[in-house]
Amino acid sequence: MDKKVIVKFKNPLLKKNFDELSEDDPLKKRIRRTIEGIKQNPLSYGQPINKSKIPKIYFNEGFTNAFWVDLSKSWRLIYTLTSTSEVEILAIILEWFTSHKDYEKRFNY
């Protein structure tokens, strides 16, 4: 039996930021494409982040795994996976970065 994958945003503000993007915005289009990819194959759509590299802010919020997706040359999206039941996987979009500098700062690269 395949598990159903539900994709949500970490919090209402992040969802609001996404909703406020123009429908023509390349970022919104890429995030939508990523959401569909996560739904199809949540464990291998993104690249897993080594536990030692996961920022403490994610652990402090209760997230113990993370995956990154390359949205473009410098844009990144971070998500985590959890299981809500034996038949569902919950993918939570934690944040996205529109500059590689911000991504590097978050991950201390």
Side-chain angles (χ1 to χ4, degrees):
M1 172 189 243
D2 289 328
K3 289 188 176 186
K4 178 180 177 184
V5 180
I6 299 168
V7 179
K8 294 188 175 189
F9 291 85
K10 177 177 79 170
N11 58 45
L13 179 59
L14 193 64
K15 174 74 165 112
K16 181 177 186 263
N17 289 342
F18 173 75
D19 289 341
E20 289 178 348
L21 293 170
S22 161
E23 291 302 318
D24 296 328
D25 190 311
L27 177 61
K28 189 168 195 172
K29 290 178 180 181
R30 289 185 178 139
I31 291 172
R32 276 203 173 116
R33 191 175 326 133
T34 297
I35 289 169
E36 290 307 310
I38 293 169
K39 285 179 180 178
Q40 296 300 313
N41 202 344
L43 290 172
S44 63
Y45 189 78
Q47 297 294 316
I49 299 170
N50 187 302
K51 284 207 185 286
S52 66
K53 302 280 186 193
I54 296 174
K56 288 185 183 189
I57 188 169
Y58 297 162
F59 281 111
N60 293 342
E61 294 173 336
F63 305 116
T64 59
N65 66 71
F67 298 80
W68 67 272
V69 175
D70 189 356
L71 297 176
S72 78
K73 187 174 182 178
S74 62
W75 298 348
R76 303 287 183 268
L77 180 139
I78 310 299
Y79 70 94
T80 187
L81 296 174
T82 187
S83 185
T84 59
S85 72
E86 290 185 28
V87 295
E88 289 183 341
I89 294 174
L90 177 61
I92 302 169
I93 296 174
L94 301 176
E95 60 187 328
W96 60 80
F97 302 90
T98 55
S99 88
H100 206 274
K101 188 175 186 177
D102 292 338
Y103 172 77
E104 289 173 343
K105 185 176 177 183
R106 169 69 81 212
F107 285 86
N108 295 315
Y109 291 148

